[in-house]
């Protein structure tokens, strides 16, 4: 049976969920946050060590300012209200991406990472202002600066995901089959699961079904 150490998720469909339910896109993001909490709890139950959530991409800056501000303030509120609970539940928070937000949010993010850095039960990686292509360029530039050989090991050691095993599973909700510049290097051998449901409707039952399906897959990694 395939072990699962790391699940990555593209949480797509909040905006459509908000509009479909005769509300606003922003209410969809709020509902999406409730799903985040449920899926974190379910990840712990399944003894999975890493969960990576795509919360804000480098391309998301192209959205209307009002929606960007809403998403970032939701994140700030989430950090303030949940970080003690994270810590109590032995969850480590790590940000993947460069912190280019307001001074207040940048410092909250750093504080949250520092506070939870020794926790061992689950590592939640929040991809924020994250784009896989920039991450690769950033790593290659660092190798050049450190005069290191360009090798797989050196390149991986200079990605945001240093020391994090590659995800075995990617889930993308929202009925769209694309990777949207997410963990392109790290997902070379990842099994992809595309779900019709919008992220706020995705639940623990759906998640567990995917984990069970994954366990049945024969993974060859190029062998036969
Ligand atoms: C994609 O849905 C979702 C996002 C761009 C943001 C994800 C954010 C959350 C789940 C809530 C906040 C999370 C944290 C951890 C604070 P979309 O808006 O692209 O949906 P659409 O495809 O229907 O437009």
């Amino acid at each position: 049976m395939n072990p699962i150490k790391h699940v990555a998720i593209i949480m797509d469909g909040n905006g459509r969920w908000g509009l479909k339910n005769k509300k606003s896109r922003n209410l969809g993001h709020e509902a999406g946050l409730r799903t985040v909490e449920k899926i974190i709890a379910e990840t712990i139950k399944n003894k999975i060590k890493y969960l990576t959530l795509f919360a804000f991409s480098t391309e998301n800056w192209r959205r209307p300012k009002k929606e960007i501000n809403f998403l970032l303030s939701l994140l700030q509120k989430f950090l303030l209200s949940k970080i003690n609970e994270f810590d109590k539940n032995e969850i480590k928070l790590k940000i993947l991406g460069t912190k280019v937000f307001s001074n207040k949010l940048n410092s909250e993010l750093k504080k949250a990472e520092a506070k939870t850095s020794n926790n061992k039960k689950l590592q939640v990686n929040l991809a924020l202002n994250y784009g896989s292509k920039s991450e690769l360029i950033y790593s290659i530039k660092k190798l050049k600066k450190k005069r290191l050989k360009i090798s797989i090991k050196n390149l991986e050691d200079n990605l945001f995901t240093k020391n994090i095993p590659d995800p075995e599973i990617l889930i993308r909700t929202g009925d769209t089959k694309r990777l949207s510049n997410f963990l392109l290097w790290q997902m070379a051998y990842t099994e992809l699961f595309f779900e019709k449901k919008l992220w706020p409707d995705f639940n623990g039952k759906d998640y567990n079904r995917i984990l069970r399906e994954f366990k049945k897959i024969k993974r060859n990694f190029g062998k036969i």
Side-chain angles (χ1 to χ4, degrees), residues 58-71:
T58 43
E59 289 73 27
N60 285 147
W61 293 109
R62 297 182 193 145
R63 294 193 176 202
K65 219 168 169 198
K66 246 176 116 177
E67 182 165 334
I68 295 174
N69 289 342
F70 184 86
L71 271 169

Side-chain angles (χ1 to χ4, degrees), residues 140-190:
I140 293 165
K141 281 188 179 161
K142 283 211 278 187
L143 296 189
K144 247 182 103 181
K145 211 167 142 191
K146 296 182 199 167
R147 294 174 191 272
L148 283 169
K149 194 174 97 200
I150 298 192
S151 67
I152 291 180
K153 165 94 173 64
N154 287 343
L155 194 140
E156 289 181 344
D157 280 351
N158 287 278
L159 295 173
F160 293 119
T161 48
K162 180 181 179 186
N163 294 332
I164 300 174
D166 289 343
E168 290 87 4
I169 297 177
L170 167 82
I171 302 170
R172 179 175 189 142
T173 57
D175 204 17
T176 305
K177 296 187 177 72
R178 56 174 168 253
L179 297 180
S180 301
N181 201 15
F182 187 45
L183 303 176
L184 300 179
W185 174 281
Q186 296 87 338
M187 294 207 296
Y189 277 98
T190 299

